[in-house]
Amino acid sequence: MSDKVYNVLFICTHNSARSILAEGLMNSLGRGGFKAYSAGSHPAGAVHPFALKTLERLHISSEGYRSKDWSEFAGPGAPQMDFVFTVCDNAAGEVCPVWPGQPMTAHWGVADPSAFEGSDKDKAQVFWDTAVVLKRRIELMLALPLGSLNRLSIQREIKDIGTR
């Protein structure tokens, strides 16, 4: 891979769980080659406590995360995104935001763990399961030889990862 740092935005509806987990995972696993951000189309205003606990369980800092509107990344002065991933769950009838511009995009939908109702132990497991799915997808993306693939090939690969 080149010295380029790829900017990645994970967006979902509330920016309180899935996109936060993905942001933390990408920043940790990307080891300086990727800078991840997260946002929501209708941010909850707070990060779900189980998302922060899950990051800690993964040995990822849980500091500095906040639920924010995706418009923060669409205006002047915002970092230019190379990749934008929606992680909302179409099957649950959620409306996934559409990202304008030229970044490569893919839908990596996962069920919203914050919608799960049950014991704290069961909630922790649902958040863990969500993180494992996102971690695997991020690992698959990080394994791609981005420097040697053309844009169309990369686009095809990242879309395919969302089905795994």
Side-chain angles (χ1 to χ4, degrees):
M1 186 167 63
S2 70
D3 291 336
K4 176 175 176 44
V5 175
Y6 295 95
N7 287 326
V8 182
L9 179 62
F10 293 96
I11 53 179
C12 65
T13 309
H14 301 294
N15 188 220
S16 66
R18 295 163 291 189
S19 53
I20 297 287
L21 291 169
E23 175 186 1
L25 285 161
M26 178 61 87
N27 282 329
S28 175
L29 298 169
R31 293 180 176 74
F34 291 81
K35 174 62 180 147
Y37 304 89
S38 67
S41 56
H42 297 91
V47 176
H48 197 289
F50 278 92
L52 298 175
K53 288 178 186 176
T54 302
L55 288 171
E56 290 170 0
R57 189 172 166 198
L58 290 161
H59 307 288
I60 297 170
S61 173
S62 61
E63 298 295 316
Y65 295 95
R66 64 185 178 87
S67 177
K68 56 209 158 295
D69 194 278
W70 69 310
S71 64
E72 285 189 29
F73 298 96
Q80 182 175 347
M81 295 301 152
D82 297 294
F83 298 94
V84 176
F85 297 100
T86 52
V87 292
C88 44
D89 182 13
N90 281 340
E94 289 180 282
V95 177
C96 293
V98 176
W99 192 257
Q102 298 301 312
M104 287 181 264
T105 61
H107 178 66
W108 287 3
V110 290
D112 185 0
S114 63
F116 178 80
E117 294 183 17
S119 70
D120 282 356
K121 180 180 177 186
D122 290 341
K123 285 180 189 176
Q125 185 61 52
V126 169
F127 272 82
W128 179 259
D129 292 345
T130 300
V132 167
V133 169
L134 292 168
K135 181 177 184 279
R136 180 66 184 137
R137 290 176 179 174
I138 289 167
E139 289 170 338
L140 288 168
M141 180 188 170
L142 293 174
L144 293 174
L146 296 179
S148 64
L149 292 176
N150 65 37
R151 185 176 173 88
L152 187 60
S153 296
I154 294 170
Q155 182 67 59
R156 184 177 56 247
E157 291 290 336
I158 64 172
K159 282 191 176 193
D160 184 48
I161 287 170
T163 65
R164 300 181 193 171

